[in-house]
Amino acid sequence: MTRRISWTLLAVLVLAQICYPLTTGATRAGLTVATVVLGWLLSVGHALLSRGPRVAAALVAVATGGGFAIEAIGVATGVPFGSYDYSGELGPKLAGVPLIIPLAWTWMAWPAWLAAVRLTGGSGRAADGSRPTVGRWVGRIALATVGLAAWDLFLDPQMVAEGYWVWRDATPALPGLAGIPVSNYLGWLLFAVLMMSALRPLAGSVAAHTDRRDHPMVALYLWTYFSSILAHAVFLDLPASALWGAAGMSVTAVPLAVTLLRAQRSHHLRPEDHQPHRRGVDATR
């Protein structure tokens, strides 16, 4: 049931994102809000169905609650992202923050975490039952942090181009990404590392492994990567963010794609999958 519900929500989310470049104005803003809500439901629903209420509650507390807190601080003080304001196009606000913004943090935090877990062994304990090494733990946090924060190399240029938020002082900026200060991306890295460091202790050991139930979330992460490159380069006329985002998210997305391809190839090459059928033996057993 977990996979069926997750795949269904993912399919609806993908359809909404495909429609995004085909719309404008208020319709596009409404579709943006709907997409973020769908993404939040997908990630939190998957965490709940696959790992239980503790993990879902930890995800909501760290990403949704933490996301709102850091955004409210950012709007009020300019720390840690820089000085910015949200327009009124993304729906109701609280403390100057549109209510869907913390949902966006949650939407991508969970697949980024699962991608990092998959790439660092997929288990909370080593094969001999001992706790994971410091190196593995640091690597997992680093991959999850970059996996989430690099998404903003796509997100911020797209949202700023739509006028959903604006920076009061956008210098210095990355080449080709005028209108967005470097401090914004550093702020994303800071909050992402805090979020990912807190998620595992709060969620418990069941958040430190992956299995077949997580395939929709892995697909979500890779879809976000490849579709964002295509959308920015071709449909949204944002070639610089296509390049920056492609480079940044590749740190997590490319090894993840390679790992999945190797696992699929290994599965097809297993000797038992290619045993010739012997007469008198029921091959369905």
Side-chain angles (χ1 to χ4, degrees):
M1 183 177 71
T2 299
R3 297 179 71 200
R4 187 182 309 117
I5 293 174
S6 297
W7 280 120
T8 300
L9 282 173
L10 177 58
V12 177
L13 175 63
V14 168
L15 179 61
Q17 290 181 316
I18 290 173
C19 291
Y20 178 90
L22 307 177
T23 61
T24 58
T27 301
R28 178 174 285 190
L31 192 59
T32 300
V33 172
T35 300
V36 173
V37 172
L38 280 169
W40 187 88
L41 289 173
L42 173 57
S43 287
V44 174
H46 177 271
L48 175 64
L49 292 173
S50 67
R51 288 166 175 81
R54 176 179 173 179
V55 175
L59 179 62
V60 170
V62 169
T64 309
F68 174 76
I70 198 71
E71 291 282 352
I73 292 170
V75 168
T77 70
V79 177
F81 306 107
S83 185
Y84 62 105
D85 288 304
Y86 286 103
S87 72
E89 296 186 62
L90 294 179
K93 298 180 186 179
L94 180 62
V97 180
L99 296 178
I100 69 158
I101 296 299
L103 306 189
W105 284 100
T106 314
W107 165 21
M108 283 303 295
W110 184 236
W113 170 257
L114 292 176
V117 170
R118 176 65 186 261
L119 289 172
T120 54
S123 175
R125 293 182 180 273
D128 60 0
S130 62
R131 292 187 179 277
T133 64
V134 172
R136 178 182 293 184
W137 183 84
V138 170
R140 181 169 296 173
I141 297 300
L143 278 172
T145 295
V146 174
L148 173 60
W151 176 51
D152 193 52
L153 292 164
F154 291 119
L155 180 65
D156 234 275
Q158 181 178 337
M159 299 296 103
V160 167
E162 292 296 330
Y164 296 153
W165 56 82
V166 61
W167 297 91
R168 298 191 188 109
D169 182 5
T171 56
L174 294 174
L177 300 183
I180 306 160
V182 171
S183 60
N184 170 65
Y185 303 112
L186 298 178
W188 268 73
L189 283 170
L190 173 63
F191 180 56
V193 73
L194 294 174
M195 185 193 310
M196 296 306 179
S197 298
L199 182 58
R200 166 63 177 83
L202 290 174
S205 60
V206 292
H209 66 85
T210 61
D211 55 39
R212 294 176 68 251
R213 297 172 299 175
D214 301 327
H215 289 176
M217 305 311 296
V218 172
L220 169 62
Y221 192 83
L222 293 177
W223 158 258
T224 299
Y225 177 62
F226 290 109
S227 68
S228 295
I229 295 172
L230 177 63
H232 283 237
V234 177
F235 298 105
L236 301 178
D237 194 25
L238 296 169
S241 58
L243 291 173
W244 280 106
M249 279 190 76
S250 70
V251 174
T252 300
V254 171
L256 179 63
V258 170
T259 297
L260 294 176
L261 288 173
R262 286 177 175 172
Q264 186 70 15
R265 184 179 303 167
S266 176
H267 173 75
H268 286 306
L269 293 178
R270 286 176 186 168
E272 59 269 22
D273 293 337
H274 299 278
Q275 291 290 340
H277 175 65
R278 290 178 295 169
R279 184 173 300 180
V281 176
D282 183 359
T284 64
R285 289 182 183 176

